[in-house]
Amino acid sequence: MSASYIQAPAAEMLELLEELSAFSAPGDGVTRLLYTPEWKKAQQFLLDRVRESGLRVYADSVGNVYGRLTGTRDDGKVVLAGSHIDTVVNGGKYDGTYGVVAAFTALRYLSSVYGPPLRTLEAVSFAEEEGSRFPLTFWGSGNVTGLYDGSEAKDCRDGEGVTLQEAMESCRLGDQNPDAPRSDISTYVELHIEQGIVLEQTETQIGVVSAIAGQRRFTVTVKGTANHAGTTPMGLRRDALAAAAEMVLQLERFAIEAGDPLVATTGRLETFPNTPNVIPGEVVFTLDIRHSREDELEAFCSSVASAFEEIAKRRDVALDITLRLSASPAPMNSGLRAELEAICLRQGKTYKAMVSGAGHDAQLFAPRCGTAMIFVPSRGGISHSPEEYTPPEELAAGLEVLIALLYKLGYEETDEDGLVPQNTKERWT
Amino acid sequence: MSASYIQAPAAEMLELLEELSAFSAPGDGVTRLLYTPEWKKAQQFLLDRVRESGLRVYADSVGNVYGRLTGTRDDGKVVLAGSHIDTVVNGGKYDGTYGVVAAFTALRYLSSVYGPPLRTLEAVSFAEEEGSRFPLTFWGSGNVTGLYDGSEAKDCRDGEGVTLQEAMESCRLGDQNPDAPRSDISTYVELHIEQGIVLEQTETQIGVVSAIAGQRRFTVTVKGTANHAGTTPMGLRRDALAAAAEMVLQLERFAIEAGDPLVATTGRLETFPNTPNVIPGEVVFTLDIRHSREDELEAFCSSVASAFEEIAKRRDVALDITLRLSASPAPMNSGLRAELEAICLRQGKTYKAMVSGAGHDAQLFAPRCGTAMIFVPSRGGISHSPEEYTPPEELAAGLEVLIALLYKLGYEETDEDGLVPQNTKERWT
């Protein structure tokens, strides 16, 4: 395969991306929340377009849409590629959708050029990943991988009181209802925009994801004494905001010392009573800490907690640190990573091994089957915004890499060392 | 005079204080906003009670209520004592009202024991000082001293759109309308709770105020780049909150270095977009800086601005510092201060010269006539709260000092050096 072969599929992919971006609620950018009319139209459009392309097409009970190329040596196992179709409110047209259109385009291209594969390939458009309508995330891939069993839908409500069950039933796409969770997926591949600035800043075309970072979220509450800003001498204050400011800076200092890929952020901070002439009596703020290694993540969080306690003691303020979210790092398959790097070298593309700081559907597959993620640059690192942008040639480059990997996994006769995930190796021989 | 003489007036004062605290809107503590039904009832109650006491009583056009003891050597000049009758929302019963009831009680006591004074004494209950209903402060004393000329009332509206003019007209208390501003006030004396913790912590009965601190308020805006908390390495961030945190701590460090009476506070801080997984792109916070000397205040503000600019430059964030309020320090009259200290010594009371960090009606009089302020302790330094409290014996001690000073100013034959304000000295001889 050479780059010249895929000018046609890249154009087709870009057209599909544009067409899907039209299915949006009013407002800036793209707003396509789970089980809304615009969401249903987008998945239905995809079903119709993929059916025309000759792939076998179906939807499952939660509204994930699949296109399937059954392998001639079908052993009941599937190589799955895709991403999610939903967006945040006023999001962009690339996040998730790019990986969906690339996967369907790749399968259509491979089928048209090479005919049926040896091993079964599927493309997927997951129903939901963002958590923007209902208070849960990964509803699409979560039902496939067993994170959910569907029972969550009855009691989960959106901001207007509609249950996930009701919303889902109003958006039935098909009656085909595969086993959930699926036990037939041997490999999962996801192509996605980086949503960060690293590839752009290093002028790199392809990010080969080594791991999706683990994450901890905490809520920190600092309680001092609210008092008159004019009548309370500096020496008699228990200023909750000054204490919190010291903690925010300590977090930043520790994170810089720890170095990449650790990131630590205070994104939300509330001051009470929040009045110019009153010394703050209470401050509540968040910590978002991520690293690709569980042990490093855990050690960092412990150091932060100790430092915060020392600050609180010295300043005589009360401190509470509550864990809100804990997600383990998801390492990508080393064989698939090596194959992606080999593909980039063959195709003359610049690439970079990198940690994904953002969460993706791929992290649910990583503990269960060989999983790979491919990144393309995000202009200015901007995402979850109408400003989200990746130039066509950079989107095409990602597609070229995806096609090559799916060709390797679906069409090649031999199973070279490191290509096929260890835990499914016997399936491929 | 000895302490035993004034058990009767202290009891009377405490009763009046309790009675006035009943004139409140529903809710915790006392809520008595300008020109509300409860405000009008309080001022009318005071008018009626003072009339019974034998003082000549009147109200002016903005609703300040006066009680007058005309001097036998009346030269058209007045020694005025008092404070304000309004409160903040859910305030206490001492702030302002204590100075009002003490002044009226002092005049009634002096009149009953010593008969008419040589020089005219007046007590005043100012209509408004707190700025809790309309977007202005000192409406009572400001109309007396010339800060306002009444024209402000037409365009000034409360939160519900009612103009100050309309509210004022619905609350007329009397038709006596003295010249505004008044040119007959030679001396102003205000007794007030400290609203701080200094007297309590130093176990001191009386604060002799040396100056009311000057004040600067600024709004500081820091603009960085909002970005994904997971995908943006520490080295590529322009975190507005981390920059603001560094500034908040720098402000505190400078203030501690400067030492008393300088105080500096960030009371309000807002983070945008204020989402746990987004690096803050903008932070807006306030500075409240106070000192009793104009030159020190000015120098401190300059140092802070320079330090903030250095932080902003180093962190590559945009900085805007906007001045919102500038009030000069108001020094109290040195002769009156010396007399207050002499009174404390004679009465065997512990006293302390101190700066008032809070603003008071007295600061409007200080540039125009000899002005004195007397503080009594605030339990725990708490004010503007239902928890505001000063024990009866400490309130009585303040009244004793006030009575002694008004006796000196109103009844004594001689004008000792330092007692009478320099700018009005000729009036007293």
Side-chain angles (χ1 to χ4, degrees):
Chain A
M1 286 174 60
S2 80
S4 62
Y5 276 98
I6 58 156
Q7 284 172 0
E12 192 181 308
M13 173 188 74
L14 295 169
E15 190 188 334
L16 197 51
L17 192 63
E18 285 304 316
E19 286 170 327
L20 282 170
S21 72
F23 300 111
S24 170
D28 286 345
V30 181
T31 301
R32 192 163 55 230
L33 306 187
L34 178 64
Y35 304 143
T36 56
E38 48 277 9
W39 176 92
K40 186 173 184 184
K41 282 180 198 158
Q43 289 289 64
Q44 189 62 56
F45 173 83
L46 204 57
L47 272 172
D48 297 342
R49 283 292 294 270
V50 175
R51 187 174 288 118
E52 291 163 19
S53 77
L55 299 183
R56 188 164 84 75
V57 67
Y58 66 100
D60 66 16
S61 57
V62 300
N64 298 318
V65 169
Y66 299 88
R68 180 178 174 106
L69 277 180
T70 302
T72 53
R73 294 191 195 159
D74 186 18
D75 57 358
K77 291 291 170 184
V78 172
V79 173
L80 184 67
S83 192
H84 60 95
I85 195 72
D86 71 312
T87 72
V88 298
V89 174
N90 302 126
K93 62 185 175 192
Y94 303 91
D95 179 0
T97 310
Y98 168 53
V100 170
V101 297
F104 280 97
T105 304
L107 261 58
R108 179 175 145 82
Y109 172 77
L110 287 168
S111 164
S112 68
V113 175
Y114 302 100
L118 298 176
R119 302 172 199 92
T120 298
L121 300 176
E122 284 193 21
V124 63
S125 172
F126 285 124
E128 199 271 348
E129 184 251 25
E130 299 285 3
S132 293
R133 178 173 175 188
F134 294 94
L136 49 67
T137 53
F138 300 110
W139 184 242
S141 55
N143 273 282
V144 171
T145 55
L147 175 66
Y148 302 119
D149 64 7
S151 65
E152 301 82 1
K154 277 186 183 156
D155 295 325
C156 181
R157 291 173 191 276
D158 70 5
E160 298 184 340
V162 179
T163 67
L164 181 51
Q165 187 72 38
E166 291 160 357
M168 188 161 63
E169 281 166 8
S170 74
C171 280
R172 287 275 178 232
L173 290 167
D175 49 8
Q176 222 159 338
N177 192 350
D179 288 342
R182 287 181 64 163
S183 56
D184 59 343
I185 299 167
S186 64
T187 311
Y188 177 73
V189 183
E190 185 166 1
L191 175 59
H192 207 282
I193 56 168
E194 182 198 341
Q195 302 180 277
I197 204 170
V198 172
L199 292 176
E200 183 181 86
Q201 291 242 341
T202 58
E203 296 184 356
T204 305
Q205 290 173 283
I206 299 293
V208 176
V209 176
S210 56
I212 297 171
Q215 189 181 357
R216 299 283 186 283
R217 284 201 198 164
F218 301 91
T219 303
V220 182
T221 304
V222 177
K223 285 188 185 170
T225 304
N227 227 325
H228 195 298
T231 61
T232 315
M234 300 309 293
L236 298 178
R237 295 178 173 213
R238 294 172 67 237
D239 184 333
L241 182 59
E246 196 175 337
M247 293 175 193
V248 166
L249 282 182
Q250 184 67 273
L251 180 79
E252 184 193 44
R253 193 154 44 235
F254 276 3
I256 290 168
E257 284 168 15
D260 294 334
L262 188 129
V263 286
T265 307
T266 295
R268 185 181 179 92
L269 186 144
E270 304 278 359
T271 301
F272 304 95
N274 212 29
T275 301
N277 61 349
V278 178
I279 299 161
E282 183 172 336
V283 173
V284 180
F285 62 98
T286 57
L287 306 181
D288 177 314
I289 301 170
R290 308 190 196 199
H291 196 289
S292 57
R293 282 181 49 185
E294 183 70 19
D295 54 346
E296 300 269 1
L297 185 58
E298 198 55 43
F300 185 86
C301 292
S302 295
S303 303
V304 168
S306 300
F308 283 15
E309 278 156 18
E310 187 276 320
I311 293 167
K313 194 175 170 189
R314 174 163 39 78
R315 286 178 171 273
D316 189 24
V317 294
L319 174 71
D320 179 78
I321 305 177
T322 301
L323 180 69
R324 297 291 181 190
L325 182 153
S326 177
S328 295
M332 299 294 102
N333 180 270
S334 58
L336 293 170
R337 285 173 57 194
E339 182 57 28
L340 285 169
E341 294 180 0
I343 289 167
C344 289
L345 285 172
R346 279 207 307 279
Q347 293 186 349
K349 291 184 171 67
T350 52
Y351 68 91
K352 186 178 168 58
M354 63 188 297
V355 170
S356 172
H360 294 289
D361 292 304
Q363 74 195 57
L364 270 60
F365 289 94
R368 293 171 181 80
C369 67
T371 301
M373 272 206 90
I374 309 160
F375 278 169
V376 297
S378 291
R379 181 65 56 86
I382 297 166
S383 185
H384 287 189
S385 158
E387 307 292 309
E388 191 176 85
Y389 180 69
T390 303
E393 64 276 15
E394 296 181 1
L395 295 172
L399 176 64
E400 288 167 16
V401 173
L402 178 67
I403 288 174
L405 182 63
L406 292 176
Y407 177 83
K408 184 89 185 174
L409 293 172
Y411 289 85
E412 291 215 343
E413 196 65 51
T414 57
D415 174 23
E416 292 165 14
D417 271 344
L419 164 62
V420 174
Q422 286 72 17
N423 61 344
T424 56
K425 192 168 183 177
E426 68 286 5
R427 305 291 181 178
W428 295 101
T429 52
Chain B
M1 287 175 59
S2 79
S4 61
Y5 275 95
I6 58 156
Q7 284 173 357
E12 189 182 312
M13 173 186 76
L14 294 170
E15 189 187 337
L16 196 51
L17 191 64
E18 286 303 316
E19 285 170 326
L20 283 170
S21 72
F23 300 111
S24 169
D28 286 345
V30 181
T31 301
R32 191 162 56 229
L33 305 187
L34 179 63
Y35 303 143
T36 55
E38 47 277 8
W39 176 94
K40 186 173 182 183
K41 281 179 197 158
Q43 288 290 65
Q44 189 62 57
F45 172 84
L46 205 57
L47 271 172
D48 296 342
R49 283 293 293 271
V50 174
R51 188 174 288 119
E52 292 164 19
S53 79
L55 299 183
R56 188 163 81 76
V57 68
Y58 67 100
D60 65 15
S61 57
V62 300
N64 298 319
V65 168
Y66 300 87
R68 182 176 172 109
L69 275 181
T70 302
T72 52
R73 296 192 193 156
D74 187 17
D75 58 357
K77 292 293 171 183
V78 171
V79 173
L80 184 67
S83 191
H84 59 95
I85 195 71
D86 72 312
T87 72
V88 298
V89 175
N90 301 127
K93 61 185 175 191
Y94 303 91
D95 179 358
T97 309
Y98 167 53
V100 169
V101 297
F104 281 97
T105 303
L107 262 59
R108 179 174 146 82
Y109 172 77
L110 287 167
S111 164
S112 67
V113 175
Y114 303 101
L118 298 176
R119 304 173 196 90
T120 299
L121 300 175
E122 284 194 22
V124 63
S125 171
F126 285 124
E128 199 272 347
E129 184 250 24
E130 298 284 2
S132 293
R133 178 173 175 188
F134 294 94
L136 49 67
T137 52
F138 299 111
W139 182 244
S141 54
N143 273 282
V144 171
T145 55
L147 174 65
Y148 302 119
D149 65 7
S151 66
E152 300 82 1
K154 274 184 186 159
D155 295 325
C156 182
R157 291 175 191 275
D158 71 4
E160 297 184 342
V162 178
T163 67
L164 181 50
Q165 187 72 38
E166 291 160 357
M168 189 161 61
E169 281 165 8
S170 74
C171 280
R172 287 275 179 232
L173 289 168
D175 50 7
Q176 222 161 336
N177 192 352
D179 287 342
R182 288 180 64 163
S183 56
D184 59 343
I185 298 168
S186 64
T187 310
Y188 177 72
V189 183
E190 184 166 0
L191 175 60
H192 206 283
I193 56 167
E194 181 197 343
Q195 301 181 277
I197 203 169
V198 172
L199 291 176
E200 183 180 84
Q201 292 241 340
T202 57
E203 296 182 356
T204 305
Q205 290 173 283
I206 298 292
V208 177
V209 176
S210 56
I212 296 171
Q215 189 181 358
R216 299 284 187 281
R217 284 200 199 168
F218 300 91
T219 302
V220 181
T221 304
V222 177
K223 285 187 184 171
T225 303
N227 227 324
H228 195 298
T231 63
T232 314
M234 299 310 293
L236 297 178
R237 296 179 172 211
R238 294 172 68 237
D239 184 333
L241 182 59
E246 198 175 337
M247 293 174 193
V248 167
L249 281 182
Q250 183 67 275
L251 180 79
E252 184 193 45
R253 194 154 42 235
F254 277 4
I256 290 167
E257 284 167 17
D260 295 335
L262 189 128
V263 285
T265 308
T266 294
R268 185 180 179 95
L269 186 143
E270 303 278 357
T271 301
F272 304 95
N274 212 29
T275 301
N277 60 349
V278 178
I279 299 160
E282 183 172 335
V283 173
V284 180
F285 62 97
T286 58
L287 307 181
D288 177 315
I289 300 170
R290 310 190 195 199
H291 197 287
S292 56
R293 282 182 49 187
E294 183 70 19
D295 55 346
E296 300 268 3
L297 184 58
E298 197 56 42
F300 185 86
C301 292
S302 295
S303 303
V304 167
S306 300
F308 282 16
E309 278 156 20
E310 188 277 319
I311 292 167
K313 195 175 169 189
R314 174 163 41 77
R315 287 179 171 270
D316 189 26
V317 294
L319 175 70
D320 178 78
I321 305 177
T322 301
L323 181 68
R324 297 291 181 191
L325 182 155
S326 178
S328 294
M332 299 293 102
N333 180 271
S334 58
L336 293 170
R337 286 173 56 194
E339 182 57 29
L340 284 170
E341 294 180 1
I343 289 167
C344 289
L345 285 173
R346 280 207 307 279
Q347 295 186 347
K349 291 186 171 68
T350 51
Y351 69 91
K352 185 177 167 60
M354 62 187 298
V355 170
S356 171
H360 294 289
D361 292 303
Q363 74 196 58
L364 270 61
F365 288 93
R368 292 170 182 81
C369 67
T371 301
M373 272 205 90
I374 308 159
F375 278 169
V376 296
S378 290
R379 179 67 54 88
I382 297 166
S383 185
H384 287 191
S385 158
E387 308 293 307
E388 193 177 83
Y389 180 70
T390 303
E393 63 276 17
E394 296 180 2
L395 296 171
L399 175 65
E400 288 167 15
V401 173
L402 177 67
I403 288 174
L405 182 63
L406 292 177
Y407 177 83
K408 182 90 186 173
L409 293 171
Y411 288 85
E412 290 215 345
E413 195 67 53
T414 56
D415 174 22
E416 291 166 15
D417 271 345
L419 164 61
V420 174
Q422 286 72 16
N423 61 345
T424 56
K425 191 164 185 180
E426 69 282 9
R427 306 293 182 175
W428 293 102
T429 53

